[in-house]
């Protein structure tokens, strides 16, 4: 048996929910697929195009099958899958472990094997599996395990994207269920507080991510600028600055989260594209060994509080990806002592630093490096270990 690469690295793609919620259709999905190719997203590594909730009719058919809404998807899901596959891209869909999806459409509870077969027949490559309307007396862990088995046995290689929002100690059992990625948080909103809170909530969880089972901090809001059709996600809560989106992308990339674009890429600005298509950041996220990034708190800790820190991720070729994050207000100097990464002066090493946002060499440093980082901004470097 050859080992599948599906889910080995964090998924890269686009998902309809953040911007469009219920207002989806096949024209939109095809346009996104076209832009993936023409605007360089595919070349940068983005692969999955995922339809979230609200794609089906409110009732199953007489055989108990899910039915795509013919008004939204008149050509049907198989034709849409073919269209996406012809471009060398992959197609994702959505269902729910409960009786209904979060928006009230039929869920897969007690239809798991039937639905997995249906998804395979349509040619899907990715299933996001939500947690609303789970019967209270049923153990949720079992429902993810059940769908994990159904997908593994449906005859098609399908990435299993679990979405139980970090509930029920998901860290402890999700890898065993077969899920390739798992949502560890509640839903993101297109504002700075949400980005900050989601990232901070996962900082002690770096050991719970890795190849074939990635901690998913939720879909990106990069480039949305308040452009959701949903009040909760963004139309009322505001949007962020480009600097904040850059920091959001850097946190997600370093922390190994899947990078699922959530904005309307038909309207993406140059600044948005520069963030989403940053090859140096994507390379850190897609590092083959998928090691978690650990946090280093700058000294003195009483001065910096919890919202300024460094993240360090050891990469497969021996380099270190290091992010300097200032999630607080005002400029901060963030001193990194190389000692705190296991590199004392006596080791005879120095670090040659490359700035992954400015795309330039910063020079070689010994013992410490102390950049000043503006409020809500970050610096991400790739550090090569060299002889002093
Ligand atoms: C939940 C999920 C979201 C989205 C919606 C769809 O809230 O966490 O990501 O899929 O359901 O209704």
């Amino acid at each position: 048996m050859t080992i599948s690469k599906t889910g080995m690295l964090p998924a890269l793609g686009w998902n309809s929910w953040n911007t469009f919620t219920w207002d989806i259709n096949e024209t939109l999905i095809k346009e996104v697929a076209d832009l993936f190719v023409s605007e360089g997203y595919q070349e940068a590594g983005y692969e999955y195009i995922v339809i979230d909730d609200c794609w089906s009719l409110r009732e199953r058919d007489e055989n108990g099958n899910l039915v795509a809404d013919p008004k939204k998807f008149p050509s049907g899901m198989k034709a849409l899958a073919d269209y996406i596959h012809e471009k060398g891209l992959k197609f994702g869909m959505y269902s729910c472990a409960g009786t209904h999806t979060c928006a009230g459409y039929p869920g897969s509870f007690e239809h798991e094997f039937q639905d997995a077969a249906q998804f395979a027949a349509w040619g899907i490559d990715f299933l996001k599996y939500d947690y609303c309307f789970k019967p209270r007396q049923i153990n949720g862990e079992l429902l993810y395990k059940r769908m994990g088995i159904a997908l593994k046995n449906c005859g098609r290689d399908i990435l299993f994207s679990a979405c139980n929002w970090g509930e029920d100690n998901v860290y402890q059992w999700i890898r065993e269920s077969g899920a390739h990625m798992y949502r560890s948080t509640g839903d993101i909103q297109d504002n700075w507080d949400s980005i900050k809170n989601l990232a901070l909530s996962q900082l002690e969880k770096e050991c719970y991510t890795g190849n074939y089972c990635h901690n998913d901090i939720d879909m990106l809001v990069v480039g949305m600028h308040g452009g959701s059709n949903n009040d909760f996600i963004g139309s009322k809560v505001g949007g962020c600055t480009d600097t904040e989106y850059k920091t959001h992308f850097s946190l997600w990339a370093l922390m190994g989260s899947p990078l699922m674009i959530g904005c309307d890429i038909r309207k993406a600005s140059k600044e948005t594209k520069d963030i989403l298509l940053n090859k140096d950041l994507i390379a850190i996220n897609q590092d083959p060994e998928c090691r978690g990034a650990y946090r280093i708190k700058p000294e003195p800790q009483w001065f910096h509080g919890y919202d300024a820190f460094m993240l360090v991720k050891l990469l497969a070729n021996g380099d270190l990806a290091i992010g300097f994050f200032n999630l607080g207000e005002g400029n901060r100097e963030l001193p990194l002592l190389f000692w705190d990464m296991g590199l004392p002066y006596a080791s005879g090493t120095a670090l040659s630093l490359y700035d992954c946002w400015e795309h330039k060499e910063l020079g070689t440093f010994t013992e410490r490096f102390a950049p000043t980082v503006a409020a809500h901004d970050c610096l991400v470097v790739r550090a090569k270990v060299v002889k002093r």
Side-chain angles (χ1 to χ4, degrees):
M1 182 191 164
T2 52
I3 298 174
S4 168
K5 291 209 164 140
T6 297
M8 189 176 98
L9 302 178
L12 301 176
W14 177 91
N15 176 300
S16 60
W17 184 253
N18 279 354
T19 296
F20 299 97
T21 61
W22 55 271
D23 191 15
I24 47 174
N25 59 67
E26 65 184 37
T27 308
L28 167 70
I29 304 301
K30 285 180 173 175
E31 281 173 10
V32 170
D34 295 347
L35 288 171
F36 257 42
V37 178
S38 65
E39 296 289 302
Y41 294 91
Q42 182 180 40
E43 199 201 330
Y46 293 96
E47 187 177 23
Y48 290 96
I49 296 183
V50 181
I51 302 178
D52 208 279
D53 205 348
C54 307
W55 59 266
S56 76
L57 290 181
R58 294 268 175 194
E59 302 291 338
R60 291 173 178 269
D61 70 11
E62 62 280 8
N63 300 317
N65 289 317
L66 293 167
V67 186
D69 184 333
K71 288 209 185 75
K72 295 175 177 171
F73 299 95
S75 313
M77 289 304 178
K78 179 74 177 68
L80 191 50
D82 290 345
Y83 186 90
I84 291 171
H85 290 151
E86 270 163 30
K87 296 183 177 287
L89 297 167
K90 293 186 172 158
F91 181 37
M93 287 182 70
Y94 165 99
S95 188
C96 185
T99 57
H100 294 80
T101 72
C102 298
Y105 293 84
S108 290
F109 179 65
E110 290 189 338
H111 291 271
E112 292 85 356
F113 287 83
Q114 179 177 14
D115 290 353
Q118 176 71 81
F119 292 134
W122 281 337
I124 78 154
D125 309 294
F126 178 115
L127 180 70
K128 174 171 170 180
Y129 206 48
D130 218 332
Y131 207 43
C132 284
F133 297 103
K134 179 187 76 66
R136 281 217 188 119
Q137 72 279 17
I138 310 270
N139 174 338
E141 176 181 343
L142 268 185
L143 296 183
Y144 282 95
K145 287 181 168 158
R146 191 185 292 169
M147 191 46 114
I149 296 170
L151 289 174
K152 280 264 186 259
N153 289 281
C154 73
R156 195 173 165 86
D157 201 5
I158 296 180
L159 190 153
F160 184 20
S161 165
C163 179
N164 90 331
W165 323 307
E167 292 190 5
D168 305 337
N169 294 319
V170 66
Y171 308 96
Q172 293 175 5
W173 49 264
I174 194 65
R175 175 175 281 275
E176 296 149 20
S177 76
H180 299 96
M181 55 194 265
Y182 67 98
R183 271 277 296 283
S184 53
T185 62
D187 289 10
I188 196 166
Q189 294 174 284
D190 183 18
N191 68 25
W192 174 248
D193 281 349
S194 172
I195 290 169
K196 177 172 166 175
N197 291 336
L198 292 188
L200 289 175
S201 78
Q202 297 309 302
L203 283 184
E204 303 297 333
K205 309 265 172 51
E206 57 267 33
C207 63
Y208 299 109
T209 198
N211 297 94
Y212 293 105
C213 195
H214 307 276
N215 181 341
D216 173 8
I217 327 178
D218 204 358
M219 301 163 296
L220 300 170
V221 293
V222 173
M224 287 180 64
H225 292 294
S228 179
N229 68 358
N230 178 286
D231 288 357
F232 172 81
I233 300 171
S235 47
K236 293 264 166 64
V237 295
C240 304
T241 65
D242 286 323
T243 297
E244 291 168 341
Y245 288 138
K246 165 193 160 192
T247 300
H248 165 36
F249 192 78
S250 303
L251 285 162
W252 267 233
L254 262 161
M255 291 168 83
S257 178
L259 302 174
M260 301 299 291
I261 299 169
C263 71
D264 183 352
I265 61 168
R266 299 171 307 177
K267 299 182 183 155
S269 65
K270 178 179 181 308
E271 290 74 15
T272 295
K273 286 187 64 188
D274 284 348
I275 295 171
L276 294 174
L277 299 177
N278 182 323
K279 294 205 165 91
D280 293 323
L281 265 293
I282 293 174
I284 291 168
N285 178 259
Q286 295 288 295
D287 186 75
E289 292 190 2
C290 293
R291 299 191 184 278
Y294 60 92
R295 172 171 47 170
I296 295 179
K297 295 178 182 165
E299 298 290 344
Q301 293 192 19
W302 53 262
F303 174 72
H304 289 286
Y306 65 91
D307 55 8
F309 52 84
M310 284 76 77
L311 288 181
V312 181
K313 176 179 166 85
L314 177 62
L315 304 176
N317 76 341
D319 290 355
L320 297 152
I322 310 171
F324 298 80
F325 293 97
N326 179 4
L327 309 189
E329 307 308 320
N331 290 348
R332 297 269 179 90
E333 184 183 77
L334 295 179
L336 172 67
L337 309 182
F338 298 173
W339 168 279
D340 287 334
M341 299 183 295
L343 292 174
Y345 186 77
S347 66
T349 59
L351 293 179
S352 163
L353 304 183
Y354 172 82
D355 183 330
C356 295
W357 282 107
E358 295 299 321
H359 307 291
K360 63 171 198 215
E361 300 292 341
L362 296 177
T364 299
F365 298 81
T366 41
E367 276 195 287
R368 81 195 279 279
F369 178 66
T372 297
V373 181
H376 301 189
D377 204 350
C378 67
L379 168 72
V380 179
V381 299
R382 187 164 177 132
K384 194 160 274 313
V385 183
V386 295
K387 284 211 174 92
R388 171 156 53 78

